[in-house]
Amino acid sequence: MDAVEKRVHTFVRVKPTADFAQDMIKFGPDNKSIDIYIKKDAKKGVVNNRQTDWSFRLDGVLHNTSQERAYETVAKKLVSDALIGYNGTIMCYGQTGAGKTYTMTGATAEYKHRGIIPRAIQQVFKATADSVDPFVTVRISYLEIYNETLSDLLSTVPSNGSSDVQMAVVDCPQGVYVKGLSIHSVSHEEDALNLLFEGETNRVIAEHTLNKNSSRSHCIFTIYIESRFRVFSDVKCVRSKINLIDLAGSERLSKTGSEGQVLKEATYINKSLSFLEQIVIALAEPKRDHVPFRRSKLTHVLKDSLGGNCNTVLVANICGEAVHVEETLSSLRFATRMKWITTEPVINETYDREGTVKALEKEIILLKQELAMHDSLVNRSLVTYDPLTDSQTAEIKSQVHKYLKGAIDEIDIVNIRQIQEVFKQFKLIVSQQEHEVEARLRSQYALIDKNDFAAVAALQKAGVLDVDGHLVQEEDGRDFGTRTTPFSSRRGGKKKSRKSNEQPKKEGIGSPLSGKDLDGFLPSKSQVIISTKDLDVKEGARNQDTANIDAELSKPAPVEDSQRPSSPPSKPVAFEQFKEECGSEISRIFKENKSILLARKKRSSAVAQRINFIKREMEGIKQALEAQKQERWQQAHVHQNHVIPRANAQETRAHHGRWEEQTPLISACHVADSGSAWNPAFNKQRHLKMPRIHVHNRFIKNKQ
């Protein structure tokens, strides 16, 4: 059945108290919204941007509500859906002492204070008693997660399962289950309640400031329902389960004052609830690819309940006192996030295999009877629908052979099995013909591997193949090879044709041919086929071609063929033969181009040396200029520090003036001459290197 996407339903239940903060907690008129108001703290100053009001929209608010009304609002529809095959989960979440265990289990003082679990058991067995179908099985299990350790609360009760198996959470295609958890069958409501009370006595509880009977573990009470419906011969089985979860309450250590073992338990509780909130946040993001369910035992067990094949309901239990407003906001935020999670519940129905086989066998018998009745009405009483016997198969085979030879015009067919056998015989005949044609072709054709360059070069030299490796055609359209000795890629120039039972020893030499290839036999991509006769001629022409081939084979072999080695030459030898024969012109052009490139390389080297010489000369001139500048700067510094006579000073300034006028002019001339010689040399070297670079790039490209 197709899954229908539904979201998680969330409800808020407020614990009754005499100190209810009416000025801080407000409920909407439709009992589906709750508003929280907090006054600003004057001690934090005038500028205080802290949020002071919140509004939460949920599926219902249960305030001052009885246990019966709470069950009808939260759980009744979910249990009804479970009876028809939908999985269901009800989960109580909140701070410690907020009433989660009271909501889920209830109190034993009065009958009307029963919680969700006893009332769900009552509804299941009442529906079972009222059902017309008596095949309903109810089973119970009770799991506890204490300090990240799985425990079976019903392990003290004898059961059919083994209690020695170590408990672990296991994923399977049908969902998540706990290996080693005992499951107990119950027939009456009293038996189920006894198991519930037995498990409650085994739970771990402790006392702290906020709660005298604080649950120190997460508990999951599961009701398994299996219904079998018998309609005629079909056996349909519907399985579902109801998970009723009482989560341990989150604690603020500053308020509970926990120490020792209670402190350790509180740490594990807060850690697992933190992981649960992370899972809820991840599921609320539609683009999230991975959800870390395995981070804790609790989230792993609840994998199907959160976003899986399940109807899920959350009850957020809060306290109405002003001192717990922070915990109340945290619980409401969690409930709001849970509201955005979507689930895909489906009816879990299967069909019993044994019953299905029996139903199909009965249907086959009825169909055969109907066919027999139909055949008797049309005078076909001799027709049978049983498997064919050996004699009937031999008769069909004989008729098929006669039909192919033209002895008969029709094949007698009266049922589907005979049609299938006729096609089977046709397929066998076609397969036999394919093998015969392949053997005949191998005996009359020689196959040459195109990767054998020596053999291909020999065929090209003989004129059998063109430069592209295709067979040369004569004017009448027949292959040139009908008058040419067949060549074998493995036997070199031997004149023997292959035997029909000889297998090719080289990869890519020969492949089976089907009957459709007889109309036009063409060479494959990896083979060159040298034909000795045309396949389209009739039997008389084929015999004449065979006689011509035999006569041609009886002639003495040419000297060139007799000198050919029995095995193909190696690649270097074949390459040398190619350069001397077919590739002589290419080899000549290659040598000429090589000599030209070598000459250009020498000229390029000479120009490069000239460029380097000019470059070094220019660097020397620059260094000389820098040295002269440094010398003039030092002389000027000496003149400033020493008193020089007036006449000598004038003479010195005149001398320096003439030197400053001549030195830059001489240096500039040297630099200009060097630059004018360097530029043409560099351009010439680049012109000489371009052909070599082009040839090198072409070589690299062809090599790849």
Side-chain angles (χ1 to χ4, degrees):
M1 181 175 291
D2 295 336
V4 179
E5 188 173 290
K6 299 176 65 176
R7 63 177 181 82
V8 175
H9 294 277
T10 57
F11 298 89
V12 174
R13 188 174 191 185
V14 184
K15 180 181 180 180
T17 177
D19 298 329
F20 183 76
Q22 298 181 356
D23 56 338
M24 300 177 65
I25 302 176
K26 303 290 183 181
F27 304 110
D30 56 353
N31 281 333
K32 290 186 177 182
S33 63
I34 181 171
D35 299 328
I36 307 295
Y37 301 96
I38 299 179
K39 296 181 179 180
K40 286 188 177 182
D41 190 359
K43 297 180 181 180
K44 294 185 178 181
V46 179
V47 180
N48 185 2
N49 296 325
R50 184 180 178 182
Q51 186 176 354
T52 58
D53 57 325
W54 295 265
S55 180
F56 301 95
R57 183 75 179 176
L58 305 170
D59 292 298
V61 177
L62 305 176
H63 181 49
N64 293 329
T65 306
S66 63
Q67 291 280 68
E68 182 179 0
R69 177 65 183 277
Y71 178 80
E72 292 179 353
T73 305
V74 172
K76 188 173 183 179
K77 185 178 184 305
L78 185 142
V79 175
S80 299
D81 291 340
L83 291 170
I84 62 176
Y86 290 101
N87 294 332
T89 296
I90 302 176
M91 182 165 47
C92 289
Y93 177 91
Q95 73 176 101
T96 180
K100 298 182 298 300
T101 304
Y102 177 79
T103 301
M104 189 58 65
T105 307
T108 58
E110 294 186 21
Y111 184 75
K112 64 179 181 179
H113 291 163
R114 293 173 300 145
I116 292 177
I117 296 178
R119 293 176 186 272
I121 294 173
Q122 182 184 23
Q123 183 179 351
V124 168
F125 280 100
K126 185 177 181 181
T128 301
D130 297 340
S131 176
V132 178
D133 198 336
F135 298 97
V136 178
T137 303
V138 180
R139 296 179 298 167
I140 300 296
S141 69
Y142 209 170
L143 174 68
E144 180 186 47
I145 304 176
Y146 173 72
N147 291 352
E148 282 299 299
T149 303
L150 301 175
S151 302
D152 187 2
L153 293 177
L154 301 180
S155 59
T156 57
V157 180
S159 62
N160 296 328
S162 176
S163 59
D164 297 333
V165 180
Q166 186 177 2
M167 300 182 65
V169 185
V170 180
D171 289 300
C172 66
Q174 291 76 25
V176 177
Y177 73 97
V178 179
K179 182 178 68 174
L181 179 64
S182 62
I183 302 177
H184 305 264
S185 297
V186 290
S187 302
H188 304 284
E189 180 181 352
E190 292 78 10
D191 298 336
L193 292 176
N194 289 334
L195 292 176
L196 172 63
F197 297 146
E198 178 69 21
E200 286 294 318
T201 57
N202 295 328
R203 289 187 64 175
V204 179
I205 59 175
E207 180 180 355
H208 55 73
T209 305
L210 298 180
N211 192 355
K212 294 183 179 181
N213 296 314
S214 175
S215 300
R216 313 310 295 165
S217 61
H218 310 294
C219 294
I220 303 175
F221 186 88
T222 305
I223 304 174
Y224 303 89
I225 305 172
E226 182 176 328
S227 304
R228 294 182 179 271
F229 301 90
R230 295 182 177 272
V231 180
F232 299 102
S233 61
D234 294 336
V235 179
K236 184 174 70 172
C237 180
V238 176
R239 294 183 176 90
S240 62
K241 63 180 180 179
I242 306 173
N243 293 321
L244 304 173
I245 305 170
D246 180 15
L247 297 175
S250 59
E251 300 179 9
R252 287 181 180 266
L253 301 181
S254 59
K255 293 183 178 181
T256 59
S258 301
E259 296 178 353
Q261 182 65 22
V262 179
L263 176 61
K264 180 180 178 181
E265 294 168 352
T267 303
Y268 276 102
I269 292 171
N270 291 337
K271 183 178 179 181
S272 61
L273 292 177
S274 177
F275 287 147
L276 176 61
E277 189 166 2
Q278 292 177 15
I279 295 297
V280 171
I281 293 174
L283 289 172
E285 298 179 7
K287 296 183 180 180
R288 185 74 172 262
D289 295 331
H290 173 68
V291 179
F293 284 106
R294 296 175 179 266
R295 299 196 66 177
S296 69
K297 297 289 194 305
L298 176 63
T299 55
H300 199 181
V301 172
L302 298 181
K303 182 178 180 180
D304 291 339
S305 300
L306 300 173
N309 175 21
C310 186
N311 290 319
T312 305
V313 175
L314 173 71
V315 179
N317 295 87
I318 63 174
C319 296
E321 291 90 344
V323 69
H324 299 304
V325 66
E326 294 292 338
E327 290 79 1
T328 298
L329 285 173
S330 178
S331 300
L332 292 175
R333 291 192 188 99
F334 180 83
T336 304
R337 295 189 185 103
M338 280 285 293
K339 188 177 179 181
W340 293 104
I341 297 178
T342 58
T343 60
E344 297 180 352
V346 296
I347 294 179
N348 304 290
E349 58 182 8
T350 58
Y351 290 87
D352 185 64
R353 293 183 178 180
E354 183 179 356
T356 303
V357 170
K358 291 181 179 179
L360 293 175
E361 290 176 350
K362 185 175 181 180
E363 185 177 359
I364 290 172
I365 294 173
L366 292 175
L367 291 174
K368 285 184 176 181
Q369 293 176 356
E370 187 176 351
L371 284 173
M373 183 183 299
H374 176 73
D375 292 337
S376 63
L377 293 176
V378 294
N379 297 325
R380 298 176 63 209
S381 57
L382 299 178
V383 178
T384 60
Y385 299 96
D386 296 327
L388 297 177
T389 62
D390 295 339
S391 59
Q392 291 175 336
T393 303
E395 177 63 24
I396 291 175
K397 182 178 180 180
S398 175
Q399 291 186 17
V400 169
H401 283 278
K402 291 179 181 179
Y403 176 79
L404 292 175
K405 294 179 180 179
I408 59 176
D409 296 333
E410 294 180 354
I411 301 174
D412 296 333
I413 296 174
V414 294
N415 57 28
I416 298 296
R417 294 183 186 272
Q418 292 181 350
I419 295 176
Q420 294 175 348
E421 185 62 30
V422 167
F423 278 103
K424 181 180 178 181
Q425 294 298 328
F426 275 122
K427 186 176 180 180
L428 291 174
I429 293 172
V430 171
S431 178
Q432 293 176 359
Q433 289 181 351
E434 287 182 354
H435 287 86
E436 292 175 359
V437 170
E438 181 183 354
R440 189 166 64 250
L441 291 175
R442 289 186 177 278
S443 65
Q444 298 172 0
Y445 286 82
L447 306 181
I448 296 178
D449 190 356
K450 283 189 174 182
N451 295 325
D452 192 351
F453 298 105
V456 173
L459 291 176
Q460 290 177 346
K461 186 175 181 180
V464 179
L465 300 178
D466 57 12
V467 293
D468 296 329
H470 301 298
L471 292 173
V472 178
Q473 303 289 329
E474 287 190 345
E475 294 180 357
D476 58 353
R478 299 286 297 275
D479 288 345
F480 185 83
T482 56
R483 297 184 289 108
T484 305
T485 302
F487 290 88
S488 173
S489 61
R490 294 192 57 85
R491 298 181 182 271
K494 289 187 178 182
K495 303 295 181 62
K496 287 185 179 181
S497 61
R498 295 181 180 227
K499 300 295 183 180
S500 60
N501 60 350
E502 184 177 348
Q503 297 297 330
K505 299 181 182 178
K506 189 172 183 180
E507 184 180 356
I509 303 178
S511 59
L513 299 174
S514 60
K516 63 183 180 181
D517 295 326
L518 295 176
D519 296 337
F521 186 75
L522 298 177
S524 65
K525 294 182 179 180
S526 63
Q527 297 171 352
V528 178
I529 302 175
I530 311 303
S531 175
T532 59
K533 59 180 179 294
D534 192 359
L535 293 178
D536 294 334
V537 298
K538 296 183 179 179
E539 189 65 27
R542 186 183 301 115
N543 295 335
Q544 182 64 30
D545 289 342
T546 306
N548 294 338
I549 293 171
D550 295 337
E552 193 169 318
L553 290 174
S554 63
K555 295 180 182 180
V559 178
E560 182 183 356
D561 292 345
S562 63
Q563 297 177 354
R564 185 173 301 160
S566 59
S567 61
S570 61
K571 288 186 177 181
V573 176
F575 183 64
E576 293 298 331
Q577 293 178 359
F578 172 76
K579 290 195 295 183
E580 293 176 0
E581 297 173 359
C582 299
S584 59
E585 183 65 19
I586 298 175
S587 179
R588 183 187 62 80
I589 296 172
F590 176 77
K591 290 180 180 179
E592 291 179 359
N593 291 337
K594 185 176 180 180
S595 61
I596 294 172
L597 290 175
L598 289 175
R600 291 195 175 190
K601 184 178 180 181
K602 293 180 180 179
R603 292 169 58 189
S604 176
S605 299
V607 173
Q609 293 178 1
R610 175 62 178 167
I611 291 173
N612 293 334
F613 176 76
I614 295 173
K615 187 176 181 181
R616 288 194 297 270
E617 187 178 4
M618 293 173 66
E619 291 178 354
I621 294 172
K622 290 181 179 179
Q623 292 177 2
L625 288 174
E626 292 294 334
Q628 291 173 4
K629 289 182 180 178
Q630 186 69 17
E631 183 180 358
R632 289 198 303 271
W633 181 83
Q634 292 178 358
Q635 291 177 359
H637 185 67
V638 171
H639 293 160
Q640 292 177 0
N641 295 332
H642 300 280
V643 180
I644 302 174
R646 184 180 185 90
N648 293 339
Q650 292 178 357
E651 183 180 355
T652 301
R653 283 195 296 270
H655 174 72
H656 281 291
R658 290 193 301 269
W659 174 255
E660 290 176 355
E661 290 176 359
Q662 293 177 3
T663 301
L665 181 60
I666 295 172
S667 300
C669 292
H670 279 286
V671 173
D673 292 340
S674 300
S676 61
W678 182 82
N679 289 332
F682 179 77
N683 294 331
K684 185 176 182 180
Q685 186 199 26
R686 186 173 59 180
H687 177 71
L688 292 173
K689 288 178 64 177
M690 285 178 61
R692 292 195 297 112
I693 295 173
H694 176 70
V695 172
H696 179 72
N697 293 336
R698 290 292 299 273
F699 175 76
I700 295 299
K701 183 177 180 181
N702 294 332
K703 186 177 180 181
Q704 291 176 351

